[in-house]
Amino acid sequence: MKILRKLAAATIATIGVVGVGSAALADSPTLQKVQERGTLLCSGHNGSYFGFVEVNDKNEWKGLDIDLCRALTVAILGSPDKNQIVPLSWAQRFPALQSGDVDVVIKATGWTMGRDTELGLQFSIPYFFGGAQIMVRKELGIDTVKGLDGGTVCVAAGTTIERIVADHLKSENIQHEMVSFEKTAEVIGAYKSGRCDAYAAWGPAIAVLLANQFDDADQHVILGDKLSAEPIAAAMRQGDEKWVDIVNWMLAALIKAEELGVNSGNVDQMVASPPNPTVARLLGVDKGMGERLGMRDTWAREMIAAMGNFGEIYERNLGSESPYKLERGLNNLWSNGGVLYSPILD
């Protein structure tokens, strides 16, 4: 009889363990689909959004957004090689997310009220800040946006930049013609060919473009008018809160690692001898970091070892280790004069 009771108790315990795991998966349909597929599908671009989503000379994807997709892949599946980039235009990214063709959009995407409330999307915590700006040729002698009266402005279709610039020029009563193109390369080509007087885009992207794609960079100027302050975030489908938690804590862990001085070079040493309880928690030395998300306790440790912390990812793709040498500015940690911070890891 005692044996039967022990067997019954063991069976209940086993069912309970399986039930917890299944419930964790069932809480996030997206996580379950990614784990069953064994691949994370991330939105790409046509490879010409330099510094964020680009294709190098070896036909390999690279950039800040690409590395964040790979970091998320490591967190979930244990390897960056299980990431698949799906090339998408700006206009295609949200329909692709809604139809399930991609699991997440990490593609220089602004968090807006319209997208949040009308497109069935949810957004992560912001991971980058930048605003709309306008570039013109120096020969036009324009110092401010007001000088564009009567001119033409090239812009990428389906972006927040398109609406922000149009709204700003209208509010300033600046007569203009907006010329929209589906692909970034088409916008740049139109501006270079003289089809437009001005090129409107995201300020950091213009700076990267000038550093890399213009032989006559000194003949162009980025106007000082900053038309917006845009928080950039990952976009996900509405109704999968567990998935939003996972993406949020992936970003938070990368920022927290930089705050704590944990990087790809010292992560093993930190695991062996955590300098404080927060580092022990972040790296899974203390249990619980994974269970609440339905993942492994070591997910952040593996992610940082493979991809580095947020600062390493920034410097590799946009900063001092990249061709663009873009200073971090607002995209530095709060403790270094920027606005990036991580929620509390308790």
Side-chain angles (χ1 to χ4, degrees), residues 42-47 53 61 66 85-89 93 102 107:
C42 279
S43 59
H45 186 64
N46 61 5
V53 185
W61 289 98
I66 296 295
I85 302 300
V86 180
L88 296 168
S89 69
R93 61 190 153 156
V102 294
K107 183 185 175 187

Side-chain angles (χ1 to χ4, degrees), residues 242-266:
K242 178 76 82 174
W243 183 242
V244 177
D245 286 346
I246 290 169
V247 175
N248 272 336
W249 283 104
M250 177 274 294
L251 294 169
L254 292 172
I255 297 169
K256 179 62 74 178
E258 185 180 8
E259 286 181 4
L260 296 169
V262 181
N263 57 50
S264 57
N266 65 16

Side-chain angles (χ1 to χ4, degrees), residues 179-195:
V179 185
S180 303
F181 296 88
E182 183 73 16
K183 298 179 179 178
T184 304
E186 294 173 341
V187 188
I188 298 168
Y191 173 75
K192 284 184 171 180
S193 69
R195 171 69 179 81

Side-chain angles (χ1 to χ4, degrees), residues 3 79 92 184:
I3 294 175
S79 169
Q92 291 172 326
T184 304

